[in-house]
Amino acid sequence: MTTQDAVRGNVKRKGTTAALVALTAASCLQVVDPTANSIAVVDAAVDLGMDGAQRAFAASVGTLALAAFILTTGSLGDRLGRRKVMLAGLVVAAIGGVITAIAPVTEIFILGRAITGIGIAAAFGLSFALIRAVSPDNIPKAVSFWLAGQTAAAIVLGVAVGALAGINWRVGYMLMPIVAVIAFVMCMRGLPEAKADHTGPFDFVGLSAIAVAMIGIIYGLSNGSSYGWGSTQVLVPLIVGLIAMAVFIWWEARTQYPAFPVKLFKDPELSGAVATGFSFNMWQAVITIMLSMLWQYVFLWGSLTVSLALMPSSIAMVIGAMVAGRMLARGVPTKVNFAIGHVLLIGTLLGFGFATDTTPYIVFLVLMVAGGFARMLNETTMGQYFVAKPPAELTGAMSSSKTAIGQLSFALGTALSNTFVFSIYGRGIAEAFQEADIQPEQQGTYTGIITTYISGGDMSQYDSATAEAVVNEATDSFVDAFDQTMFIFAGILTFFALVAAFFIMKAERMRRLGTLVDGPLTADGKPAALVAGTGSGPNPSDIDHNDGAPGPGSPSPHQEH
């Protein structure tokens, strides 16, 4: 290699790193917005005079808008240019954040949150899709960089938004526009454009169906623990969402120009990746919510203490993403990463299932670190498929679908964990009342003791012996509910692990038979390399637009040593 070649190589590497940093900055909106909203919406609701229903909708409308538009913005990126639509998303997110921050009334606040969600859908999904254009020869390592960077940024920005929201909720919401503007400036230089040269008519039917499906399913699931699974608030949106999802799948499998070719999931590695995505997203939902409840209700920790206690899990995720990228780049088989990740995720849930009201924090710490590491090990391994496998002309839509899967599985984990823990807790309290022969007119008083204790109120108004007995019984009931919920989810994750293992083993058999190889797929879900010359492979003009599949020098995620 000449000196000139070495210089060119260094320049190329620096350019790739700068581009990945810019894409990571664009993705940070998705990781900081939920934190900012969960903190600031409480004071915003009070200041704007929201009622309970308005507050609930205001808290979730951003997520619903993101879920509804994530595949649409991905499809627009494939048509108009992924870089162009991603930059537009950053602008839209910034505008939405400003509208939210200056909102004089509830309606304007909700509008701002919806606009923010649409902008984040474009910025986040397409920042992931552009990895294929920026680093086509080393997708696994680039995916790990992107995931590790946004997770590390989430730690810093989470602290920042907490401080800003402490000043005023409007100041807290202004962090989003600031991050969006910084990301926009970073993405203006050094990012290649990537889009499909050949597209058919815009898929209004399919994209409308998936928007209704995502809103209905996520909204219905989010109402499960509040209204009960048999309530109208749950059944109506869930049924509408599931019908819309069925229409979407039926339409996309039959239309000539699908926005999202569901036939891609004939590929067993993509199917296994979906099962894995449900697993680690549900793990995060369950651990984040259930540990927060346990520490606040039983250990009586404040919000700041809980936030700090959860932070090591995020740090472990950063490390997990980096390690996963190195393992994949060095040819460690996918099945090894998935196996380690699933065993650790399931093992941590089983470990949490033995928690008591005296369990020391070090035990929680070890389990959180192991689980956080495993979560990102699996996500990085899963993520490479969503970038490398789709046809070049559908990279935007396919990459964006990873976020849609995450939204659905996180919502499912949240809804089920809340349902399990409170139903088990409720039965425990009812049994305790029955065993102690507590009459209905007395139960209100005892419930008031529990509420006062949890909120840190004045307990002197109650008889000390009675209060201590009630609190002890409530503590035991909640810890038992927490433990049982952990065991239930260990079983659920075991199911998803077995599904993933089935597809990964199927993929290995197909590779041995020569019916599955590395590289992108056709729209029919077949390896493009195996149907070369039939017109089904990747369009050469797409590759010229820096949107090709990993080159021959790219380490295979399946290579065995």
Side-chain angles (χ1 to χ4, degrees), residues 144 148 314-327 372-378 380:
S144 74
S314 297
I315 297 173
M317 289 181 196
V318 176
I319 298 172
M322 296 170 63
V323 170
R326 291 182 178 275
M327 291 173 68
F373 176 88
R375 183 214 180 283
M376 202 57 77
L377 189 69
N378 275 5
T380 305

Side-chain angles (χ1 to χ4, degrees), residues 233-293:
Q233 292 89 340
V234 172
L235 291 179
V236 171
L238 265 183
I239 291 173
V240 171
L242 291 172
I243 292 174
M245 181 65 76
V247 171
F248 169 74
I249 294 173
W250 177 85
W251 175 263
E252 295 300 293
R254 287 162 176 79
T255 184
Q256 184 178 358
Y257 299 103
F260 181 77
V262 294
K263 292 180 181 179
L264 289 179
F265 290 100
K266 291 179 180 178
D267 181 270
E269 288 169 340
L270 273 178
S271 296
V274 171
T276 300
F278 268 83
S279 174
F280 67 71
N281 278 298
M282 292 179 75
W283 180 90
Q284 184 167 6
V286 172
I287 294 304
T288 302
I289 295 168
M290 292 297 102
L291 280 181
S292 297
M293 288 184 180

Side-chain angles (χ1 to χ4, degrees), residues 132-211:
R132 180 162 162 173
V134 167
S135 184
D137 296 330
N138 203 346
I139 288 178
K141 199 167 184 179
V143 170
S144 74
F145 184 100
W146 185 79
L147 289 169
Q150 66 182 236
T151 306
I155 298 172
V156 176
L157 294 174
V159 175
V161 74
L164 292 174
I167 299 172
N168 186 277
W169 66 267
R170 296 183 186 276
V171 178
Y173 277 114
M174 280 304 297
L175 180 63
M176 278 293 297
I178 294 172
V179 172
V181 170
I182 293 173
F184 182 89
V185 173
M186 294 175 67
C187 291
M188 283 294 292
R189 296 181 59 187
L191 284 183
E193 185 55 279
K195 66 177 181 178
D197 284 349
H198 305 284
T199 59
F202 192 73
D203 187 8
F204 287 103
V205 174
L207 292 172
S208 297
I210 192 61

Side-chain angles (χ1 to χ4, degrees), residues 64 97 224 241 330 425 439 490:
L64 295 175
R330 292 177 180 178
Y425 170 74
Q439 299 303 309

